Amino acid sequence: MNIELHLKIQNLNARYAQAIDDNRLEAWPDFFTENGRYRVTTAENVERSLPLGMIYATSRAMLRDRVRSLRDANVYEAQRYRHVIGPALIEATEEGGTVAAQTSFIIARIMHTGETTLFATGRYQDRIVFDDGGARFAEKTVILDSRLIDTLLALPL
Amino acid sequence: MNIELHLKIQNLNARYAQAIDDNRLEAWPDFFTENGRYRVTTAENVERSLPLGMIYATSRAMLRDRVRSLRDANVYEAQRYRHVIGPALIEATEEGGTVAAQTSFIIARIMHTGETTLFATGRYQDRIVFDDGGARFAEKTVILDSRLIDTLLALPL
Amino acid sequence: MNIELHLKIQNLNARYAQAIDDNRLEAWPDFFTENGRYRVTTAENVERSLPLGMIYATSRAMLRDRVRSLRDANVYEAQRYRHVIGPALIEATEEGGTVAAQTSFIIARIMHTGETTLFATGRYQDRIVFDDGGARFAEKTVILDSRLIDTLLALPL
């Protein structure tokens, strides 16, 4: 068991969640590689092998565009997220050192009024690369347990 | 502080939760030793030293029977669970290497309709053994914080 | 990355949460140094740089007084908490070995009736010291995501 690898992934996940929960959305694309993929889908779609998700981006530039749209729409100001993330399960180490890992999450949503609800649950299916700049997501698939899609889902999960 | 031991227990807990949350119930009994005990009770019962729980199994075979019943009743299809599990607190290391540990959990339940609720909270009181086959539960007591018993509690926690 | 330091902080956080969730409130002040500070505030207040919080204590003795009041008011008997705490993010190591760390949390509240709700979410902003007696909080700021203040907030978070 590679202790340091586990801790590095845990640290990446914690910093990722913290950036979103702190409303530092501009930092969000930097958690991905330049050609990093970000996809949001549901467990139901995954089981039916439906490749389509609700959200799909294939580069850091697309993620930056997304953040700009969110800021223009000002949707984030009305709410906060709070992620709680479980330990990562390392599934495979690919050639070149890319690691496939899976992590459970629960996200609470806190509205501007203070109302708090259990917003989303699911798991991250990630491919992580390590280089001089640290750990980054080459791929992050957010697999939601529920198929109820909130219209505010546009925010990073 | 034994870092590797902590990580092994964390890994066991994460794989245990993942099997249930992925609806791989047939894998669930394998997380226990052949004579492994699984008990579900409430904090109130524990405080009153009431030995009885809502569910009690004393072998892997009993757990397999349980899974078969659940599959026959088809109860699982209607819902998903999502566990989020805290870090394990190691309480004692017994002779022979058995470890007593305690872990907090929160479980969300996601109905087929997509409705998500905070289903159960509590702590695991575990006795874990390590052998060639990896880490297994010799005993897992699920101590629920709430005394409200859902009729669907039959699913593995 | 200092693996042992991460694990020590994780262990401190887990024991802290366990003491509260087990209703061992008398153990709570011992998680702080003699002049330890405990503050509860909201993210909104922190963003506006409002120094005031809802609760502020500047010594272990004040925390002990607080526990005595809670026991007299008997408020705790009516409810339980269940913390689930994420991994700690170490932000800085100060001279003398004090560590600044940040940790996300979700707290469920379980009423005597069994009713369970998502009670509070937020993050701990901690300053932790290490000595012969183990790890202790020199400062713990509880930053709540929601500004809705429950009248029962008097309980330790």
Side-chain angles (χ1 to χ4, degrees), chain B residues 47 102 104 145-147, chain C residues 10 18 80 82 110 112 114:
Chain B
E47 277 155 23
Q102 193 177 123
S104 285
D145 291 322
S146 172
R147 56 173 170 161
Chain C
Q10 172 180 300
Q18 189 192 38
R80 281 170 195 285
R82 178 60 55 187
I110 302 94
H112 190 63

Side-chain angles (χ1 to χ4, degrees), chain A residues 30-155:
Chain A
D30 293 329
F31 288 98
F32 291 82
T33 60
E34 207 183 316
N35 299 309
R37 291 162 186 272
Y38 172 77
R39 182 183 163 213
V40 180
T41 187
T42 63
E44 209 177 343
N45 275 6
V46 169
E47 278 156 23
R48 294 181 182 176
S49 300
L50 296 177
L52 289 181
M54 280 100 70
I55 296 170
Y56 197 50
T58 54
S59 71
R60 205 191 276 159
M62 284 178 71
L63 296 177
R64 287 201 208 288
D65 280 349
R66 179 154 209 97
V67 170
R68 240 172 270 131
S69 310
L70 288 170
R71 289 298 190 199
D72 286 346
N74 205 20
V75 70
Y76 203 90
E77 296 308 305
Q79 60 186 305
R80 282 170 195 284
Y81 279 179
R82 178 60 55 187
H83 290 67
V84 175
I85 291 182
L89 277 170
I90 295 176
E91 300 187 309
T93 305
E94 302 169 19
E95 263 180 74
T98 302
V99 170
Q102 195 176 122
T103 317
S104 286
F105 64 81
I106 285 187
I107 305 176
R109 186 170 69 178
I110 303 95
M111 304 308 288
H112 190 63
T113 57
E115 194 204 351
T116 301
T117 52
L118 183 54
F119 176 58
T121 68
R123 63 191 160 94
Y124 296 125
Q125 193 81 47
D126 297 326
R127 285 181 59 246
I128 300 163
V129 297
F130 299 88
D131 59 19
D132 295 348
R136 287 207 166 82
F137 298 111
E139 206 173 311
K140 178 179 268 299
T141 305
V142 184
I143 304 174
L144 297 169
D145 291 321
S146 172
R147 57 174 169 160
L148 287 186
I149 309 308
D150 194 286
T151 53
L152 288 171
L153 189 67
L155 299 183

Side-chain angles (χ1 to χ4, degrees), chain B residues 87-89 102 104, chain C residues 8-33 36-40 55 57 63 66-67 70 76 81-85 103-107 123-128 135-143 153-157:
Chain B
L89 277 170
Q102 193 177 123
S104 285
Chain C
K8 276 185 181 170
I9 294 177
Q10 172 180 300
N11 190 259
L12 172 66
N13 286 335
R15 288 184 295 112
Y16 176 90
Q18 189 192 38
I20 297 170
D21 294 352
D22 286 356
N23 191 16
R24 290 184 286 106
L25 297 191
E26 283 70 19
W28 176 60
D30 292 329
F31 288 99
F32 292 82
T33 59
R37 291 162 184 271
Y38 172 76
R39 183 184 162 211
V40 180
I55 297 170
L63 297 177
R66 178 153 210 99
V67 171
L70 289 170
Y76 203 90
Y81 279 179
R82 178 60 55 187
H83 290 69
V84 175
I85 291 182
T103 317
S104 285
F105 63 81
I106 284 187
I107 305 175
R123 62 190 160 95
Y124 296 126
Q125 193 82 46
D126 296 326
R127 285 180 61 245
I128 300 164
R136 287 206 168 82
F137 297 112
E139 205 173 312
K140 179 179 268 300
T141 305
V142 184
I143 305 174
L153 188 66
L155 300 182
L157 296 167

Side-chain angles (χ1 to χ4, degrees), chain B residues 35-46:
Chain B
N35 300 309
R37 291 162 185 271
Y38 172 77
R39 183 183 163 213
V40 179
T41 187
T42 64
E44 209 175 342
N45 274 6
V46 169

